[in-house]
């Protein structure tokens, strides 16, 4: 596990969620690979070039910690089980026609594969791509991984899978997630965050998508805590949870769901820090207040300060002002910053609000640079630096599974 102090460069910690828009050329390569027009080696060459460019350009923003933008992944949710969004390279025991993970506000949906038989095993771990990228970085790398609660949606909502109980399946995905995190740290990740976008969506109660009305949020919290129970207090300070209302094709899936449906439950997850979408919320003060009331003293709160669906770069001063305001509700020693979401969680994303994936990529780096500078300004204004921080060591008495 890499020794990394997130306050060293900016006083208040700041880090990306994970993904960046894939260049248009890479998106075309994915389509060509699915069509059989190029080899896997040719696709991987394009992925490698995009990952290298992502790291170098993110480092140029001044970000103290970077990612490879998930350029080698089919999506944030399916990287362990499929090579592409079209289902090429699907893991054993999976087939097409599963539940929709989400139906977005613009009407498009993202459908998961369907579990047909067990046991479920990952084809790949996040560490497999991290190991390819880490040589390009001169700064610490963070790694996002998918939550067991997302993969739980592979199991049909009502119909059992013959010879493979839901309980056995969930134990398998919990252990695969534990392995995913451990391997990421072993490969050199300084921080690992668990993508939990399904959390807010779990209270959506969308009749088009039955799982969102099945009352699954408490169970999702339990699944994530079963994963985190495998890590020490010290390890869990470096493991985060990311929440957002979605961010695909510049649309969202649950922004209209009251945040308080999620926050009191989410902070029961025994993670060391939380990456919380916030910049796109219209009325921020009640959310700041809820975060302050529901988060624990041993939990860092990284607030989203850039809107990843918008092509307008927030200014550094705008970001600074938001953080300073948040400090009226959340102890300044527990504040951090991030982006509202990954900039493109799915490998094929036209970024319609931006006009093209390539332009969206340029905007993403501008937003990251302004986030870093705005965070630094807020730290100076609030008098926060590395020497001021309080211990955020997790208290093992909070562990529940």
């Amino acid at each position: 596990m890499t020794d990394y102090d997130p306050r060293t460069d900016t006083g208040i910690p700041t880090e990306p969620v994970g993904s960046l828009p894939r260049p248009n050329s890479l998106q075309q390569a994915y389509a060509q690979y699915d069509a059989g027009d190029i080899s896997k080696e040719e696709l991987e060459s394009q992925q490698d070039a995009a990952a290298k460019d992502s790291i170098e350009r993110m480092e140029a923003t001044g970000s103290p910690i970077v990612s490879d933008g998930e350029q080698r992944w089919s999506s944030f949710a399916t990287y362990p089980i499929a090579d592409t969004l079209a289902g090429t390279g699907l893991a054993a025991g999976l087939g097409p026609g599963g539940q929709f993970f989400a139906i977005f506000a613009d009407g498009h949906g993202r459908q998961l594969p369907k579990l047909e038989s067990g046991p479920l095993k990952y084809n790949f771990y996040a560490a497999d791509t991290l190991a390819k990228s880490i040589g390009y970085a001169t700064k610490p790398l963070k790694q996002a991984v998918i939550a067991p609660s997302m993969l739980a949606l592979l199991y049909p909502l009502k119909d059992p899978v013959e010879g493979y109980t839901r309980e056995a399946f969930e134990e398998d995905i919990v252990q695969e997630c534990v392995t995913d995190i451990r391997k990421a740290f072993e490969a050199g990740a300084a921080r690992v965050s668990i993508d939990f976008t399904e959390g807010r969506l779990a209270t959506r109660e969308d009749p088009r998508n039955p799982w969102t009305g099945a009352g699954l949020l408490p169970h999702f919290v339990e699944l994530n805590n079963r994963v985190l129970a495998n890590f020490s207090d010290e390890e869990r300070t470096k493991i985060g949870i990311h929440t957002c209302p979605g961010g695909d094709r510049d649309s969202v899936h649950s922004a209209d769901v009251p945040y308080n449906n999620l926050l009191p439950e989410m902070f029961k997850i025994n993670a060391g820090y939380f990456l919380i979408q916030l910049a796109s919320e219209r009325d921020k003060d009640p959310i700041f207040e809820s975060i302050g009331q529901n988060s624990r003293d041993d939990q860092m709160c990284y607030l989203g300060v850039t809107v990843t669906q918008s092509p307008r770069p927030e200014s550094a001063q705008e970001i600074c002002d938001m953080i300073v305001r948040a400090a009226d509700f959340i102890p300044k020693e527990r504040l951090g910053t991030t982006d509202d979401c990954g900039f493109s969680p799915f490998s094929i994303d036209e970024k319609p609000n931006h006009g093209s994936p390539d332009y969206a990529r340029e905007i993403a780096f501008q937003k990251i640079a302004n986030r870093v500078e705005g965070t630094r300004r807020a730290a100076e204004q609030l008098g926060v630096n590395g020497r001021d921080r309080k211990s955020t060591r997790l208290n093992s008495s909070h562990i529940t599974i």
Side-chain angles (χ1 to χ4, degrees):
M1 191 176 292
T2 303
D3 186 20
Y4 165 66
D5 183 346
R7 294 185 184 272
T8 299
D9 288 351
T10 52
I12 291 174
T14 191
E15 73 175 57
V17 171
S19 68
L20 289 166
R22 281 69 164 177
N24 189 56
S25 58
L26 177 56
Q27 297 198 30
Q28 291 176 348
Y30 274 109
Q32 291 171 325
Y33 176 61
D34 280 325
D37 295 334
I38 65 172
S39 67
K40 189 169 186 180
E41 290 72 23
E42 289 173 303
L43 173 63
E44 288 174 345
S45 176
Q46 293 258 19
Q47 292 171 326
D48 192 62
K52 182 175 184 290
D53 182 71
S54 298
I55 290 169
E56 291 175 350
R57 297 188 66 189
M58 196 179 296
E59 288 191 346
T61 68
S63 180
I65 186 169
V66 301
S67 80
D68 67 1
E70 300 175 8
Q71 304 295 288
R72 297 184 176 91
W73 286 3
S74 54
S75 79
F76 78 105
T78 56
Y79 69 88
I81 57 173
D83 291 346
T84 72
L85 286 174
T88 303
L90 200 60
L94 296 175
Q99 299 184 84
F100 277 89
F101 146 58
I103 299 171
F104 288 78
D106 65 357
H108 85 275
R110 291 291 191 179
Q111 191 173 18
L112 292 167
K114 181 180 180 180
L115 184 72
E116 296 177 341
S117 63
L120 181 74
K121 298 296 180 185
Y122 284 12
N123 281 348
F124 307 102
Y125 295 99
D128 296 331
T129 53
L130 176 64
K132 296 178 180 180
S133 297
I134 200 163
Y136 298 133
T138 63
K139 293 184 176 182
L141 274 175
K142 76 154 290 184
Q143 183 61 62
V145 300
I146 192 56
S149 41
M150 173 66 78
L151 295 180
L153 298 175
L154 296 172
Y155 202 100
L157 185 62
K158 294 182 179 179
D159 300 326
V161 175
E162 186 177 356
Y164 195 33
T165 66
R166 187 182 300 274
E167 291 75 17
F169 164 73
E170 290 184 347
E171 180 58 26
D172 284 343
I173 60 174
V174 164
Q175 292 308 315
E176 286 288 64
C177 187
V178 171
T179 301
D180 209 14
I181 296 170
R182 287 211 181 278
K183 282 182 174 290
F185 281 131
E186 290 167 1
R191 313 266 281 182
V192 174
S193 62
I194 300 171
D195 282 324
F196 186 54
T197 185
E198 66 278 11
R200 193 166 176 180
L201 187 56
T203 66
R204 182 79 174 79
E205 298 187 9
D206 185 344
R208 301 169 300 171
N209 202 11
W211 78 262
T212 66
L216 292 175
L217 181 56
H219 184 55
F220 285 177
V221 169
E222 176 201 3
L223 285 173
N224 283 282
N225 275 336
R226 284 169 61 183
V227 169
L228 291 165
N230 289 270
F231 297 89
S232 69
D233 292 353
E234 180 61 28
E235 287 171 327
R236 284 184 285 119
T237 65
K238 300 177 182 181
I239 301 174
I241 292 285
H242 166 60
T243 181
C244 73
D248 182 38
R249 295 177 179 169
D250 291 332
S251 188
V252 294
H253 55 55
S254 55
D256 57 342
V257 174
Y259 231 145
N260 262 353
N261 285 11
L262 169 69
L263 293 175
E265 288 296 315
M266 184 185 74
F267 285 114
K268 295 177 183 177
I269 299 176
N270 297 310
Y273 70 102
F274 292 79
L275 305 164
I276 307 166
Q277 168 268 339
L278 230 156
S280 54
E281 295 292 328
R282 294 180 180 177
D283 192 3
K284 295 178 176 59
D285 280 5
I287 302 170
F288 293 151
E289 184 175 22
S290 182
I291 292 169
Q293 290 175 347
N294 288 291
S295 61
R296 303 192 310 242
D297 290 343
D298 58 358
Q299 293 173 329
M300 291 289 295
C301 302
Y302 285 57
L303 308 182
V305 294
T306 65
V307 181
T308 54
Q309 296 87 27
S310 169
R312 182 186 73 85
E314 297 79 0
S315 71
Q317 190 57 48
E318 182 181 349
I319 290 168
C320 170
D321 292 344
M322 178 180 164
I323 302 165
V324 170
R325 177 62 178 169
D328 289 341
F329 302 89
I330 306 164
K332 62 184 181 181
E333 297 85 0
R334 293 202 289 114
L335 282 173
T337 66
T338 187
D339 308 300
D340 265 7
C341 186
F343 285 93
S344 277
F346 294 86
S347 54
I348 307 300
D349 185 348
E350 301 85 356
K351 300 297 287 186
N353 290 352
H354 294 74
S356 76
D358 290 340
Y359 182 66
R361 193 170 167 86
E362 298 297 322
I363 293 296
F365 291 121
Q366 291 181 39
K367 286 175 176 275
I368 293 167
N370 290 352
R371 166 168 55 78
V372 173
E373 175 57 27
T375 302
R376 185 176 287 113
R377 290 185 191 180
E380 292 172 356
Q381 188 168 333
L382 292 169
V384 176
N385 58 52
R387 292 183 298 276
D388 288 341
R389 69 184 183 277
K390 294 181 179 178
S391 171
T392 57
R393 185 176 179 85
L394 289 168
N395 186 337
S396 59
S397 66
H398 289 297
I399 298 173
T400 57
I401 62 172

